[in-house]
Amino acid sequence: MPVSVLGKPNDRPEGRAKVTGRAAYTADRTAPRLAHACGIMSPIAAGEIVSIDTSAADAAPGVLAVYHPDRRPPLFRVPEGVSVGERRPPLEDRRIHYAGQFVAAVVAETFEQARWATHLVKIRYRAAAPVVSLDAGEAAHGAKPKGDDTSRGDPEPAFTDAAVQVDATYSTPVEVHCNMEMHAALARWEGDRLLIDDSTQYVSGHAEALAYFLGIGQEKISVRSHFVGGGFGSKLFVWPHAVLAAAAARELGRPVKIVLDRRSQFTSAGHRPHTRQRVRLGADRDGRLVSVRHDSLSHTSLVQDYVESCAQVTPSLYACAHVATTHRIVPVNVGTPTPMRGPGEVPGLFAVESALDELAIALSLDPLELRLRNIPDRDEAKDLPWSINTMAECLRLAADRFGWAGRNPDVGSMRDGDIVLGWGLAAASWSASRDEAKVRAELRADGTLRLTSGTQDPGTGTYAVISQVGAEISGLPPAQIEVAIGENSMPVGPISGGSMATASLVPAVAEATRKAIKQLIKVATKTEGPWKDQDPDTLRVQGDQLLAADGRALGAWRDVLRQAQLALVAGDAHTEPGDEREKFSFRSWGAHCAEIRWDPGLAKVTVSRVVSVLDTGRIINHKTASNQVYGSLVMGLGMALLEHSVYDPRSGAVVTDNLADYLVPVHTDVPEMDVTLLDRPDPHIGEFGARGIGEIGLTGIAAAIANAVHHATGKRIRDLPITIERLLA
Ligand code: MOS
């Protein structure tokens, strides 16, 4: 057998195109007679438009149209149940629900003309008092249940009777995805067909919502997104700017491009909502959990219900007979929240893994030992055995690599000169979903393999993963494999969300490649040459060669196609999860240890070391997989110490609407990161046993850092981010 290429740290097939600027992202695209749109966003967060005067803008050079609620292109609402940023079409009426809402859009010959003319549109508003905080929202509108409350056993008396209790409330602020590539769309019509370039995490699902907005058949919409410069959830669904571009292009009969500016990302294309979570843990003297309650409150917008499912994983994470969870949402005057990397679990595990640290201290028990004593044998929430649960292994290995055994648990006891060291630990976990996927494999007369699927690569490594599985099955080198993704005309591929693209694609790529090889062999046995009349079951393809049963090379397989006068043979696969989903519970597992350095003289916290061990099943490409984890850890450092959107309570405007005020980690903030991937194939998820890796690295890391901060400073910061003000309070 040839050596396996699975796991090898191959370069990204599209890497060269990206670093040489040849990769066309949506904003790079152009079209003949292209017009440019610029939005006007509401500066107020509540109230209504009183008047709109477009006369100066209409007369400005190059202006083709000014759209607003009194002069809007025909658009419709999207029905309930369809995933979309906002069900209302843009410019629906004069009411204002949040700052950053589209109130008008100018289309002009050039971007500069469109942008200039936005300043000439005179809009008068009648502002109402906005409600932007969770407290104010709860007082004004109340909190309503969203999603199912869960309960098992009798958590309340079990808590009351518990030997040791923790009852604490944690909060996480609004965070914004901050993709490097801005949201953008370029729409053009050919007759009644819409061709749209849109930076999206879901080319195969995008047309559905657009069809509802535009009132046309879904099959009339072609979506393309060959390269996506980061999504993190903000590009899962259609947002108003893409709808406006499509509608304006239809009205004007010419292509229209719109690129959101950085500021608009903070208001108009989703965010992780503000959460407040009460966690109550009860344990016996030995540190076994006897009661777990997790009540989560998060905000949504006034135009759409979105719930951040912070407590969703809680009933599965640790063994406990008495567990209850609730989710409530509060509408406020902000744009609609949307999933952001690790939605639910990321804020949820900040709370739960912080509370466990508090419990460990109350028990005088090592936080590692506390977790190890509560690892569940099975998924107690779903009442199913685990496909695999390696949390204990991840915790032990992370602790070993970090040197956890050398930790002195006393607060402030570990020093490096004037600097106080803090060591913290937390578990990580993320669901391991898998969706159906279609892939087409073609072996071509030029000796190459082409793999096609209507999925996309938001920087996660999907091109590399598809190429690598094709290489594994065919034996071809990466240079001989072309991966074509990013169009909805291709066989329907998975969403790049929920960390499920890899798990979904791997079995489909393998099957499609095998089917194409089988086709080729069938052709060979009927084609003149040394392969003619051979038993097809004995022939194999290895690299560019067709091999006989004894391993002897019969010749290059491309000569079979040439001889048969075929340009290509193809194999089509459509794979989907089977009944294993009813037999097992699938999750990924991990653990983080973090070291922080606390300088009491400067009131400064820096993260100096992170050790992470993750089990996401079989690793297909170590380079792109660990890249996902490094990115997650940097994001987690930002979540712990820096990131938060600040709203002005008077106007409801986002104050931190730029990357100078909304802080994300830069190189100097990033510590040494020691990442280990267990690389253990999941026994049940599908061929090769790969689970997703995009999100798990961000779960738990903020808690590990907060726990380390407590260890150094004695301050339990329950509200992120951990700012100097909070440390000095
Ligand atoms: Mo992810 S938040 O599902 O892009």
Side-chain angles (χ1 to χ4, degrees), residues 98-271:
Y98 58 91
Q101 180 181 324
F102 272 91
V103 291
V106 177
V107 187
E109 296 287 348
T110 69
F111 169 76
E112 290 76 10
Q113 289 169 332
R115 188 162 169 94
W116 168 243
T118 61
H119 298 291
L120 303 176
V121 177
K122 293 189 187 72
I123 304 178
R124 289 204 309 116
Y125 299 90
R126 185 176 300 124
V131 168
V132 287
S133 72
L134 265 183
D135 286 335
E138 204 172 1
H141 306 292
K144 65 175 174 179
K146 176 81 179 171
D148 293 334
D149 293 352
T150 74
S151 181
R152 67 171 180 255
D154 225 344
E156 205 170 317
F159 178 79
T160 312
D161 298 344
V164 182
Q165 300 161 339
V166 167
D167 180 351
T169 299
Y170 304 86
S171 75
T172 63
V174 171
E175 287 183 280
V176 179
H177 309 76
C178 296
N179 322 303
M180 283 183 47
E181 183 211 14
M182 290 311 309
H183 293 259
L186 191 165
R188 60 199 176 283
W189 292 76
E190 283 175 5
D192 63 352
R193 293 190 57 83
L194 169 65
L195 313 175
I196 186 161
D197 292 296
D198 191 357
S199 184
T200 173
Q201 294 171 244
Y202 197 20
V203 282
S204 285
H206 226 46
E208 187 187 12
L210 282 170
Y212 282 116
F213 278 122
L214 296 162
I216 63 170
Q218 199 178 311
E219 77 289 353
K220 305 243 185 240
I221 302 176
S222 297
V223 181
R224 182 170 67 168
S225 199
H226 286 173
F227 302 103
V228 181
F232 312 112
S234 74
K235 295 172 180 171
L236 290 170
F237 312 124
V238 173
W239 290 106
H241 65 276
V243 181
L244 275 173
R250 180 163 64 178
E251 281 265 300
L252 296 170
R254 35 192 300 194
V256 172
K257 177 155 87 176
I258 186 164
V259 182
L260 287 194
D261 58 9
R262 183 58 71 185
R263 197 177 171 199
S264 305
Q265 175 155 55
F266 289 92
T267 55
S268 319
H271 56 270

Side-chain angles (χ1 to χ4, degrees), residues 427-492:
S429 181
W430 181 251
S431 61
S433 299
R434 180 186 159 195
D435 206 348
E436 63 178 314
K438 292 184 182 173
V439 171
R440 185 174 177 87
E442 297 161 351
L443 290 165
R444 300 184 291 193
D446 64 357
T448 61
L449 167 66
R450 182 173 190 261
L451 294 160
T452 320
S453 182
T455 188
Q456 54 287 310
D457 187 337
T460 47
T462 301
Y463 279 101
V465 163
I466 293 175
S467 166
Q468 208 129 339
V469 176
E472 178 73 10
I473 302 295
S474 67
L476 286 165
Q480 303 287 105
I481 300 174
E482 180 194 346
V483 179
I485 58 175
E487 297 178 31
N488 72 333
S489 58
M490 295 167 171
V492 176

Side-chain angles (χ1 to χ4, degrees), residues 9 12 37 41 50 61 87 108 148 164 182 186-187 244 250 301 308 330 364 366 453 486 587 685 691:
R12 294 168 186 263
M41 275 50 179
V50 176
R87 282 182 52 227
D148 293 334
V164 182
M182 290 311 309
L186 191 165
L244 275 173
R250 180 163 64 178
S301 70
E308 184 76 18
V330 163
S364 301
D366 187 291
S453 182
R587 292 197 69 80
I685 199 167
R691 300 192 300 263

Side-chain angles (χ1 to χ4, degrees), residues 60-102:
V63 169
L64 300 166
V66 182
Y67 298 112
H68 52 79
D70 303 342
R71 188 182 174 282
R72 66 188 189 97
L75 285 170
F76 306 90
R77 285 189 171 204
V78 171
E80 294 270 9
V82 179
S83 291
V84 61
E86 221 173 274
R87 282 182 52 227
R88 288 171 354 124
L91 316 181
E92 186 178 69
D93 55 34
R94 288 177 164 223
R95 281 178 298 163
I96 304 296
H97 304 281
Y98 58 91
Q101 180 181 324
F102 272 91

Side-chain angles (χ1 to χ4, degrees), residues 174-183 229 232 260-267 340 634-635 638 642-646 654-667 669:
V174 171
E175 287 183 280
V176 179
H177 309 76
C178 296
N179 322 303
M180 283 183 47
E181 183 211 14
M182 290 311 309
H183 293 259
F232 312 112
L260 287 194
D261 58 9
R262 183 58 71 185
R263 197 177 171 199
S264 305
Q265 175 155 55
F266 289 92
T267 55
M340 178 168 159
V634 173
M635 222 173 195
L642 300 168
E643 291 188 52
H644 63 305
S645 270
V646 177
V654 180
V655 179
T656 49
D657 62 357
N658 58 78
L659 288 172
D661 291 321
Y662 182 95
L663 301 182
V664 296
V666 296
H667 286 295
D669 298 312

